[in-house]
């Protein structure tokens, strides 16, 4: 799988309007080619199948373009190394099954062993859900213990997804491969949170709140920074 | 997630296939309603075709348990694949349900 070289410049492609593509290419010193495999694929609305195709074809970044912050110096520079990025809006992200496609891409690149794929997929799924629901949508509580809790919870999610204030936020996924270990970083644009650590035996009958516990059980290391907006998951070979 | 519900000699058999996540709650409501209406004392969830369960899916199983307990219905989680078995182990579901291979 190819990795962006210092020369020639990275290729930018996708279905965004040509003027926008050109502007971004000029800003970041990128070449534009809609037809070739793009190192960075931009889209106006992220889609799981399209993302899987792009990553399988060798793209290192799949970005739903919502604002200029979606394509950053950090992303462009990081593509000179062994990294992979996904940036999606909150609405698209909630409707996608991104974790399987991302982990499939990591296995295909040799950055994640097949025997760790299941653990990583569950961790990424839980982290993305937390980033979208609790981070970007700002919903602090889970479904709770009421029989109708899940219906109320889903109703609240749909309400927030329809609110431009929350829907405009994005979720950022980055995979960084270093010899024998891969770091998966999920970042949201919410207000952050303060983690309350739970033992595995706490609240066995609780209907929600297990996401971080699951990540801590399955990943080799979990680090939460930026006031709760950034979760790093480490998987060693 | 897809599901089927069949009446068995001793209660109910529910087969789940695919991926069980938050958005499947509305489908799972029909399963819970079937448990509310059932006769017998055993509800078996056949998980052999279930590829993935997330933390929301665990919560749905616990809702089913909340409905089953007052009716003295035992819930069995049967045939979980490796990935699903792993999350059931993390959640210590063997202390709350009958988990069978």
């Amino acid at each position: 799988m190819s990795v962006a070289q210092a020369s020639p410049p990275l290729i930018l492609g996708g279905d965004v309007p040509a003027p926008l593509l050109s502007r971004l290419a000029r800003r970041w010193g990128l070449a534009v080619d809609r037809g070739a495999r793009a190192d960075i694929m931009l889209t106006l609305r992220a889609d799981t199948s399209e993302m899987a195709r792009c990553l399988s074809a060798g793209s290192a970044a799949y970005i739903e373009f919502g604002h200029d912050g979606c394509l950053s110096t950090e992303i462009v520079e990081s593509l000179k190394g062994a990294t992979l990025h996904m940036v999606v809006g909150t609405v698209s992200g909630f409707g996608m099954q991104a974790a399987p496609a991302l982990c499939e891409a990591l296995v295909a690149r040799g950055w994640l062993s097949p025997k760790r794929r299941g653990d990583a997929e569950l961790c990424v799924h839980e982290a993305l859900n937390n980033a979208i629901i609790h981070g970007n949508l700002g919903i602090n509580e889970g479904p709770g213990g009421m029989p109708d809790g899940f219906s109320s919870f889903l109703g609240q999610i749909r309400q927030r997804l329809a609110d431009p204030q929350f829907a405009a936020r994005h979720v950022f996924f980055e995979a960084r491969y270093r010899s024998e270990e891969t770091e998966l970083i999920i970042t949201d644009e919410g207000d952050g949170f303060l983690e309350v650590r739970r033992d595995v035996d706490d609240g066995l009958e609780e209907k929600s709140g297990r996401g971080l516990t699951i990540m801590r059980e399955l990943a080799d290391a979990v680090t939460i920074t930026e006031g709760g907006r950034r979760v790093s998951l480490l998987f060693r070979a | 997630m897809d599901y089927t519900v069949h009446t068995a000699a001793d209660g109910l058999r529910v087969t789940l296939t695919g991926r069980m996540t938050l958005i499947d709650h509305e489908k799972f409501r029909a399963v819970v309603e079937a448990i509310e209406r059932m006769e017998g004392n055993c509800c078996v969830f056949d998980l052999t075709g279930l590829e993935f369960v997330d933390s929301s899916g665990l919560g749905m199983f616990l809702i089913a348990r909340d409905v089953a307990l007052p009716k003295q219905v035992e819930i069995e989680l049967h045939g979980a694949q490796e990935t699903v078995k792993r999350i059931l182990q993390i959640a210590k579901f063997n202390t709350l349900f009958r988990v069978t291979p």
Side-chain angles (χ1 to χ4, degrees):
Chain A
M1 201 66 59
S2 71
V3 172
Q5 305 294 316
S7 168
L10 297 171
I11 297 172
L12 182 67
D15 62 0
V16 300
L20 175 58
L21 213 59
S22 298
R23 176 171 74 79
L24 293 171
R26 281 194 305 274
R27 177 175 176 182
W28 299 110
L30 306 172
V32 175
D33 190 335
R34 287 179 182 274
R37 175 200 60 77
D39 298 294
I40 304 170
M41 186 64 74
L42 293 188
T43 181
L44 294 179
R45 182 64 186 248
D47 171 81
T48 307
S49 300
E50 181 188 58
M51 181 177 76
R53 278 197 305 275
C54 292
L55 296 180
S56 175
S59 294
Y62 179 77
I63 296 174
E64 179 177 312
F65 191 84
H67 56 71
D68 279 4
C70 294
L71 183 55
S72 64
T73 303
E74 186 180 43
I75 290 176
V76 174
E77 288 295 310
S78 76
L79 292 179
K80 295 171 184 172
T83 64
L84 186 153
H85 289 266
M86 176 193 75
V87 179
V88 295
T90 301
V91 175
S92 299
F94 183 72
M96 290 173 74
Q97 294 278 352
L102 291 169
C103 292
E104 177 65 32
L106 297 176
V107 170
R109 284 159 168 76
W111 297 358
L112 186 68
S113 69
K115 68 179 179 177
R116 299 303 307 275
R117 187 229 158 111
D119 290 350
E121 182 180 322
L122 183 52
C123 286
V124 170
H125 176 91
E126 295 289 339
L128 287 173
N129 266 7
N130 281 354
I132 290 167
I133 295 170
H134 302 303
N136 285 359
L137 296 182
I139 297 172
N140 295 325
E141 299 297 324
M146 301 301 293
D148 199 36
F150 273 96
S151 293
S152 301
F153 187 57
L154 274 167
Q156 196 176 9
I157 289 171
R158 292 194 174 111
Q159 202 171 31
R160 292 280 171 102
L161 287 172
D163 185 338
Q165 174 193 353
F166 299 103
R169 295 171 173 171
H170 284 67
V171 174
F172 299 77
F173 170 91
E174 179 183 358
R176 298 177 182 173
Y177 175 69
R178 298 175 285 265
S179 176
E180 302 300 313
E181 66 182 33
T182 298
E183 183 183 15
L184 309 178
I185 303 164
I186 295 91
T187 309
D188 63 68
E189 295 186 308
D191 296 332
F193 77 99
L194 189 64
E195 183 189 6
V196 176
R197 290 270 195 124
R198 291 168 60 167
D199 285 333
V200 172
D201 290 326
D202 284 348
L204 288 180
E205 297 182 44
E206 294 292 327
K207 306 302 184 296
S208 62
R210 287 182 182 77
L212 275 171
T213 303
I214 289 167
M215 287 182 243
R216 291 195 183 281
E217 285 289 313
L218 295 178
D220 293 305
V222 177
T223 308
I224 300 173
T225 55
E226 297 186 18
R229 282 177 289 274
R230 184 180 187 273
V231 174
S232 161
L233 308 165
L234 191 69
F235 289 88
R236 298 191 181 97
Chain B
M1 179 193 80
D2 292 309
Y3 71 94
T4 60
V5 178
H6 292 291
T7 304
D10 56 351
L12 214 61
R13 188 170 189 94
V14 180
T15 302
L16 303 179
T17 57
R19 298 172 63 88
M20 186 175 178
T21 65
L22 175 62
I23 59 172
D24 295 304
H25 163 66
E26 281 154 357
K27 279 188 191 178
F28 197 79
R29 186 199 287 267
V31 173
V32 172
E33 289 171 355
I35 296 174
E36 285 174 341
R37 292 191 304 265
M38 69 174 281
E39 294 179 5
N41 58 8
C42 183
C43 174
V44 177
F45 280 92
D46 182 344
L47 306 182
T48 53
L50 194 64
E51 300 161 14
F52 180 88
V53 173
D54 70 358
S55 58
S56 297
L58 296 180
M60 292 179 219
F61 283 125
L62 289 167
I63 289 174
R65 180 174 178 270
D66 283 351
V67 170
L69 277 178
K71 293 169 63 76
Q72 297 181 311
V73 169
E74 180 186 51
I75 292 183
E76 177 182 337
L77 304 180
H78 171 76
Q81 293 181 34
E82 202 54 45
T83 306
V84 173
K85 187 161 66 172
R86 188 81 175 95
I87 193 174
L88 297 183
Q89 286 171 340
I90 291 171
K92 299 200 171 182
F93 264 25
N94 61 304
T95 64
L96 301 172
F97 300 89
R98 186 159 174 248
V99 180
T100 55

